[in-house]
């Protein structure tokens, strides 16, 4: 996978966006690392308005984030105000359009044709970055999004206003009912699959099949932090009406942080899907329904 250097030297990843540090001289690299270490320390220590002022000081017009009503916000030129409940707003600092484009590339969506009024289901939507990335490319879809965390869900709704959009503060799974939800809001890694979690709460889950969606669906994107097999098993009937599935089956399942690639691939293959492409950025696969009509 690409771009692991930020994690190797423990600098904020957003700093590397749009930068080709391989071409830097020794002095410029040293200054870049020093800046990153200072930023990393201050980002960890500051919150709210002070946090925003720091980023704006360092990045000026490339930042311009602000803290309002308990949310971190930024006004994006093409899509309007984007809100986050936490410091993941850093994803919109420094060449944010590159970040939005990376979302498209990460889920291999550059390999398929998405057009206005296509229906897209976003499982693990978080604050709705996928839809924002599409709107940034002037693609306006019918967006159906699932995000169980309340604070994140409120941002999801405000970020993705649209008459044809639908939002569910529920988790997709293989059963309807209450389940324990393990929280990692800062990292965006909350899941129904237990891990070394910060806290947990009881939430409502449902199967995609229980919604009885009577429409053709261009794309189902699944990022369930290790719970992907259950999401797909709860959508077996709906899969017949889905053309593409993009699924993150990386090492996020349970305390052992197992990948779900093998199990996901088996289920989708049995339902008539074939793997089209692996992502260059993360352990994500794009599948096409060969029986789709």
């Amino acid at each position: 996978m690409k771009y692991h250097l930020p994690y190797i030297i423990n600098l904020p990843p957003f700093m590397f966006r749009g930068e080709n540090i391989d071409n830097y001289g020794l002095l410029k690299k040293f200054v870049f690392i020093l800046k990153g270490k200072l930023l990393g320390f201050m980002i960890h220590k500051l919150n709210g308005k002070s946090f925003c002022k720091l980023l704006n000081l360092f990045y000026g017009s490339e930042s311009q984030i602000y803290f309002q009503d308990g949310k971190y916000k930024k006004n994006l030129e093409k899509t309007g105000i984007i809100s986050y409940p936490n410091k993941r707003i850093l994803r919109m600092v420094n060449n944010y359009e590159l970040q939005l484009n990376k979302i498209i590339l990460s889920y291999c969506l550059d390999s398929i044709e998405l057009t206005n009024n296509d229906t897209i289901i976003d499982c693990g939507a978080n604050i709705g970055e996928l839809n924002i990335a599409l709107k940034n490319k002037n693609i306006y879809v019918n967006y159906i999004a699932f995000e169980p965390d309340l604070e994140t869900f409120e941002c999801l709704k405000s970020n993705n206003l649209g008459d044809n959009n639908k939002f569910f503060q529920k988790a997709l799974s293989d059963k309807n009912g209450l389940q324990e939800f393990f929280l990692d809001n800062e990292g965006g890694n909350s899941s129904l699959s237990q891990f070394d979690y910060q806290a947990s709460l009881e939430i409502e889950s449902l199967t995609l099949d229980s919604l009885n969606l009577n429409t053709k669906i261009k794309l189902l994107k699944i990022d369930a932090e290790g719970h992907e097999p259950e999401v797909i098993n709860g959508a077996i009937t709906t899969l017949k009406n889905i053309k593409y599935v993009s699924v993150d089956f990386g090492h996020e399942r349970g305390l052992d942080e197992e990948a779900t690639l093998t199990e996901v691939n088996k289920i989708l293959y049995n339902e008539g899907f074939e793997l089209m492409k692996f992502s260059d950025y993360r352990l994500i696969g794009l599948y096409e329904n060969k029986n789709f009509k």
Side-chain angles (χ1 to χ4, degrees):
M1 305 301 167
K2 294 182 179 178
Y3 311 133
H4 288 293
L5 184 58
Y7 306 98
I8 294 173
I9 59 177
N10 196 27
L11 298 183
F14 73 89
M15 291 182 59
F16 290 78
R17 200 177 300 130
E19 301 285 347
N20 187 357
I21 65 170
D22 290 338
N23 292 334
Y24 285 6
L26 186 60
L27 178 59
K28 193 172 182 179
K29 285 182 179 179
F30 175 77
V31 172
F32 185 83
I33 293 172
L34 187 63
K35 175 183 175 181
K37 291 296 184 181
L38 176 60
L39 273 172
F41 176 78
M42 299 305 291
I43 287 169
H44 179 70
K45 293 295 183 181
L46 298 179
N47 295 287
K49 292 181 179 179
S50 298
F51 169 84
C52 295
K53 287 180 180 178
L54 169 75
L55 269 297
N56 294 339
L57 177 65
F58 275 88
Y59 283 94
S61 61
E62 285 292 336
S63 179
Q64 294 304 308
I65 62 175
Y66 60 98
F67 189 73
Q68 183 181 73
D69 301 325
K71 303 289 191 299
Y72 294 94
K73 301 183 179 184
K74 179 173 180 173
N75 189 14
L76 306 186
E77 182 177 354
K78 294 181 181 178
T79 59
I81 296 173
I82 185 171
S83 299
Y84 288 80
N86 50 41
K87 294 178 184 177
R88 281 170 65 85
I89 187 69
L90 288 170
R91 292 161 67 85
M92 295 297 112
V93 173
N94 187 30
N95 291 302
Y96 74 85
E97 292 212 33
L98 291 180
Q99 173 64 23
L100 292 176
N101 191 54
K102 184 179 176 182
I103 292 169
I104 301 292
L105 297 175
S106 294
Y107 289 102
C108 306
L109 304 188
D110 57 316
S111 298
I112 64 178
E113 183 181 3
L114 294 172
T115 59
N116 292 341
N117 298 317
D118 281 342
T119 296
I120 289 179
I121 298 175
D122 193 352
C123 168
N126 201 267
I127 59 94
E129 286 180 336
L130 175 62
N131 193 42
I132 294 167
L134 292 173
K135 288 192 293 183
N136 194 60
K137 291 184 173 293
N138 298 314
I139 302 172
Y140 298 88
V141 301
N142 301 322
Y143 184 60
I144 303 173
F146 296 82
E147 173 53 52
D149 177 75
L150 178 58
E151 288 188 348
T152 307
F153 180 76
E154 292 300 325
C155 291
L156 168 67
K157 289 194 299 181
S158 66
N159 290 340
N160 296 277
L161 300 176
D163 292 339
N164 295 323
N165 295 338
K166 297 180 181 179
F167 309 100
F168 296 85
Q169 193 201 336
K170 296 178 175 64
L172 285 179
S173 187
D174 57 352
K175 60 184 178 182
N176 294 351
L178 296 177
Q179 295 193 56
E180 189 173 9
F181 188 58
F182 305 96
L183 299 175
D184 176 16
N185 292 333
E186 290 292 331
N189 299 317
S190 299
S191 176
L192 288 173
S193 294
Q194 186 175 353
F195 59 96
D196 187 14
Y197 58 97
Q198 301 168 352
S200 69
L201 53 82
E202 197 171 62
I203 63 165
E204 186 175 352
S205 70
L206 52 76
T207 67
L208 193 57
D209 282 346
S210 68
L211 296 179
N212 297 312
L213 298 174
N214 187 25
T215 187
K216 296 295 183 182
I217 298 160
K218 177 63 74 71
L219 172 71
L220 167 61
K221 168 242 161 183
I222 306 174
D223 192 345
E225 307 299 332
H227 203 67
E228 296 80 27
E230 287 80 2
V231 172
I232 298 171
N233 278 325
I236 296 300
T237 300
T238 309
L239 284 175
K240 296 176 175 59
N241 291 322
I242 298 176
K243 187 169 185 179
Y244 299 105
V245 174
S246 181
V247 54
D248 183 338
F249 33 48
H251 296 270
E252 298 168 323
R253 186 175 180 86
L255 296 173
D256 294 330
E257 297 183 337
E258 298 175 340
T260 57
L261 189 160
T262 301
E263 191 170 356
V264 164
N265 192 71
K266 180 179 179 180
I267 300 169
L268 288 176
Y269 180 81
N270 287 339
E271 296 303 318
F273 285 79
E274 290 186 6
L275 181 66
M276 290 178 59
K277 185 179 180 180
F278 274 118
S279 172
D280 290 329
Y281 295 85
R282 292 157 54 189
L283 194 55
I284 292 174
L286 178 67
Y287 291 81
E288 182 178 10
N289 184 354
K290 294 301 181 179
N291 299 320
F292 184 85
K293 297 179 181 178

